[in-house]
Amino acid sequence: MTALQRGDPEMARQRTEPTGRQDELAALRWDGSTPALKVVRGDAGSGKTAVLGQVRRELAEQGFVVIEMDGSAERPDWDAFGAHLLLDAIRGRFEELGAGLVTALDAVGKLCTADGYSSPWRRFCLLNAFSALFTTIRATAPIAVLADDAHLLGQPVAALTTAQRAGHFVVAACPDGPSELSERADEVIELRPLPDPAVDTLLRQLAGIPVDPVLPRVLQDALGCLYGNPGTLVSTMADLREQGRLATVQGRLCLRDPGEPVRLPASHPLMVELDRCGDAGRELVALASSAVGCRVDDIPMLAAATGRAPLAYGRAADQLVLAGVLDSESTGRLRNRCRALTVEPGDLHRLVAESLLAQGRHGPVTAGHIAAAGRSMAPRPELLEVLQDKQSKPFAAVSHAYAAWWHSRDRDLRAELIRLLVRAGDYTRLAQVVEESIDQADEELAIAAALVAIHSGQRMSAAFEGTPQFALCRRWFAGEEIRLDEVVACFAPGTVLSDRDLEAFCASRELGTVFSALLGPDYRVPDSGPLAAYHRVCREYAGTDWSSALSAARELELDPRADAAAKRYSRMLAAEMADWRGEDRQAESWRVPGDYPALRELPTRLNEVLACLPDGDVAALTEAYETARAIGASRLIAEVKRALARFGAAPAATRARTDELSELQHRIIELIRQGRTNRQIAVAVLVSEKTVEKHLTRLFAKAGCRTRHGLATSGLGGRLEPVSA
């Protein structure tokens, strides 16, 4: 089991190469001739320690002696220079540096005491002794001094510049921002967020297997500006694995419950900063993350509601902005920089709403807090007037409508709320409405309850037994075939809808498309849930995005709420896609016994291609060839080529353009332009040097050149769809 699998983010960082830091590493390479002080600067988790580790390995391979010190290590409070740490590090390499250092080491050791810091003169003597020590070392061999977390030393400049002036190479790592160390440096190397290709590479390294495309999308949405921070990515992945939210399906690393939020681990530096700010900081972040929002001018209002001192909120706001947890906009609005750091508000909105109401304030801010409070406020019919105030613009239409119904229990408002929730695809909140309205059960509520059941995989309450919707759901969960006329009668009584394609979708249990046709603009397929995943399988299978279809099939496999019949049909479709793509092993692992004719009735681009193979229509076959290429189905491409050959035609020759490059070839060209060697490229893209050489041979042919310089200066390197052959 690896460190990442054990959920140990620190060990995982040590094992992870500094992906995407080739330019920074190039700036830190040293030939032993010119002394220098270089500072590596970046936010927490940007990879400073990993970069220093790679610098150490490269220097050691070149034969240099590397002296390492860690500013976070324990040392006496009076040791502002970090003299003890530096002295211990040098002693640790004594055998490599030679016995001639004994006298110089003893001289430093005698001065490295609390008394040695007692006056400017004694501190000068201590630094002078270090200078003599480094000069003595220089007579033996040049060394490199690497200081991690150098900012934690009281006065890091003093000892480190002493080594640099004696002719050695010094690299110090510290946080982003101005510092005396940066001002004295010969060069400052900034560790900016990793670009997306480097993040993709890091994810593959952490996973050890190919990554399902949903995982990086969810991570990017949750982490926001921190997505390019390697430390954040490593620790978040480790935390997800520890929670059991990462799983392997068909050789891909997938995220369980992608609709559930991804949170930063408790050990993340931003979470640590938030904890330091206490309840005041958490309440500010909770408000800043909500639809109501939080402005600096709201602090007195917040203080009045919670009973805390306004000064406590002011200090917390300053600290959170300084730490990068919140952004302060020019309008005074505080904005949460990372959705993964969202804090649950608890009773905060209720407290603020009640405080504002007590003050007689009934404006839009009060309405927003009432809406955000939801069920945490006891029903109060008089609040309906506040929520429906024409001067009060809703912060979130659904939350406003829910609060209006909650406080009034008006049936007309409930009807409007149900319509809004179905339109938004919010079946979690719709389930709450159903639960709270059981005592007012009618046909409208039975329809809502049936929609919740089918979309979420949760059976209907027995309170609806005897309704047509309950009977349909019983048959649905039993895996029985559902007819289109039954769906129409249950969810849109009186509607006339007859369509062969919709009957096929209904028979194959793809109700997302059926509901879209039946309910029109008042319906939206949700982003997550078993029905949503199966809908994506069928939709993308019918089109040309088979990679997304297979991803949705993997999501469905991990969802325990998915109905067994839909899961079986999903596997059948996945097996067929893998088979046409020439992925025999994948096809075999997806395949399930039996057959289901309704699946063959689905209108798909694949069926269009297969239907035109025997016709001899060259124009149709040429279009079919492009469709097969878009799908990435190698066997289908071969079938179309054979059909064209039978009728004396061939696919149109394609010129070597940038859109014919694979993602890997695109990345190789980028690295060539950065001056990377084949070995460095192989490490960066996780392939062998031999594979890199083969790709370069093909790229030279496509670009019409014979040299790396010619390839780098060619027009090759765009990012369009690859061509399968």
Side-chain angles (χ1 to χ4, degrees), residues 91 94 97-110 133 136:
R91 284 170 173 164
F94 178 78
L97 294 173
L101 299 181
V102 174
T103 302
L105 283 169
D106 287 345
V108 174
K110 290 176 181 178
L133 173 59
T136 302

Side-chain angles (χ1 to χ4, degrees), residues 13 25 28 80 91 101 325 327 351 398 416 445 483 489 491 504 514 530 565 572-573 590 609 620 628 656 667 671:
R13 274 195 293 273
L25 289 169
L28 291 169
R91 284 170 173 164
L101 299 181
V325 176
D327 275 340
L351 292 173
V398 168
E416 175 65 14
L445 198 66
R483 299 192 312 275
F491 294 99
V514 176
M572 291 178 179
L573 295 178
W590 279 113
V609 172
R667 179 69 177 135
L671 294 170

Side-chain angles (χ1 to χ4, degrees), residues 100-167:
L101 299 181
V102 174
T103 302
L105 283 169
D106 287 345
V108 174
K110 290 176 181 178
L111 295 171
C112 191
T113 62
D115 189 53
Y117 282 87
S118 61
S119 69
W121 170 250
R122 290 182 181 276
R123 290 194 292 274
F124 170 78
C125 290
L126 174 59
L127 292 175
N128 191 55
F130 260 118
S131 180
L133 173 59
F134 282 123
T135 301
T136 302
I137 294 173
R138 178 65 182 175
T140 305
I143 64 169
V145 178
L146 307 184
D148 200 2
D149 288 328
H151 62 289
L152 297 180
L153 303 173
Q155 300 176 38
V157 173
L160 296 180
T161 55
T162 299
Q164 179 246 343
R165 287 196 300 270

Side-chain angles (χ1 to χ4, degrees), residues 221-456:
D221 183 56
L223 299 178
C225 61
L226 295 179
Y227 183 62
N229 183 294
T232 297
L233 201 61
V234 170
S235 60
T236 302
M237 285 284 286
D239 199 51
L240 288 172
R241 193 180 294 275
E242 188 173 357
Q243 295 172 36
R245 290 193 61 187
L246 296 180
T248 301
V249 179
Q250 302 294 341
R252 298 288 190 277
L253 188 69
C254 303
L255 179 68
R256 294 182 189 273
D257 302 319
E260 292 298 310
V262 170
R263 304 295 190 197
L264 288 177
S267 60
H268 191 276
L270 292 187
M271 295 297 291
V272 173
E273 287 293 337
L274 183 58
D275 286 342
R276 287 175 181 163
C277 293
D279 290 337
R282 281 186 281 272
E283 287 160 0
L284 284 172
V285 171
L287 279 189
S289 306
S290 71
V292 184
C294 181
R295 297 167 53 87
V296 174
D297 293 345
D298 293 334
I299 285 179
M301 171 194 73
L302 185 57
T306 63
R308 304 188 198 284
L311 185 59
Y313 286 113
R315 287 174 175 168
D318 290 341
Q319 186 175 340
L320 291 171
V321 171
L322 185 63
V325 176
L326 296 177
D327 275 340
S328 179
E329 299 178 350
S330 58
T331 60
R333 182 184 176 92
L334 296 174
R335 184 175 62 84
N336 185 0
R337 297 180 67 228
C338 174
R339 290 181 61 184
L341 197 140
T342 302
V343 177
E344 293 298 328
D347 287 340
L348 185 60
H349 288 293
R350 177 183 62 79
L351 292 173
V352 174
E354 290 175 348
S355 175
L356 292 173
L357 290 169
Q359 298 171 42
R361 296 170 60 181
H362 295 171
V365 173
T366 303
H369 283 288
I370 294 171
R375 295 198 289 183
S376 69
M377 289 188 74
R380 294 170 56 179
E382 68 272 18
L383 295 185
L384 182 61
E385 183 178 350
V386 179
L387 290 163
Q388 293 185 328
D389 186 347
K390 298 303 181 183
Q391 303 300 317
S392 175
K393 295 182 180 180
F395 287 87
V398 168
S399 296
H400 240 68
Y402 183 89
W405 166 76
W406 171 255
H407 289 288
S408 68
R409 298 306 174 97
D410 181 85
R411 283 181 180 266
D412 290 337
L413 289 179
R414 189 191 71 181
E416 175 65 14
L417 174 59
I418 290 174
R419 186 181 66 81
L420 283 174
L421 291 172
V422 174
R423 176 185 287 179
D426 187 350
Y427 292 97
T428 299
R429 183 161 281 182
L430 185 58
Q432 295 175 353
V433 175
V434 171
E435 178 188 347
E436 295 290 343
S437 305
I438 289 292
D439 58 335
Q440 299 178 343
D442 53 18
E443 183 182 41
E444 176 189 71
L445 198 66
I447 292 173
L451 286 171
V452 169
I454 291 173
H455 284 81
S456 65

Side-chain angles (χ1 to χ4, degrees), residues 609-610 612-629 635-654:
V609 172
L610 295 176
C612 76
L613 291 180
D615 292 345
D617 186 334
V618 173
L621 286 171
T622 301
E623 184 179 346
Y625 178 74
E626 295 302 323
T627 298
R629 284 177 54 196
R635 286 197 170 118
L636 189 59
I637 290 171
E639 289 280 351
V640 178
K641 281 183 175 180
R642 282 193 287 270
L644 282 166
R646 284 198 304 271
F647 300 105
T654 55

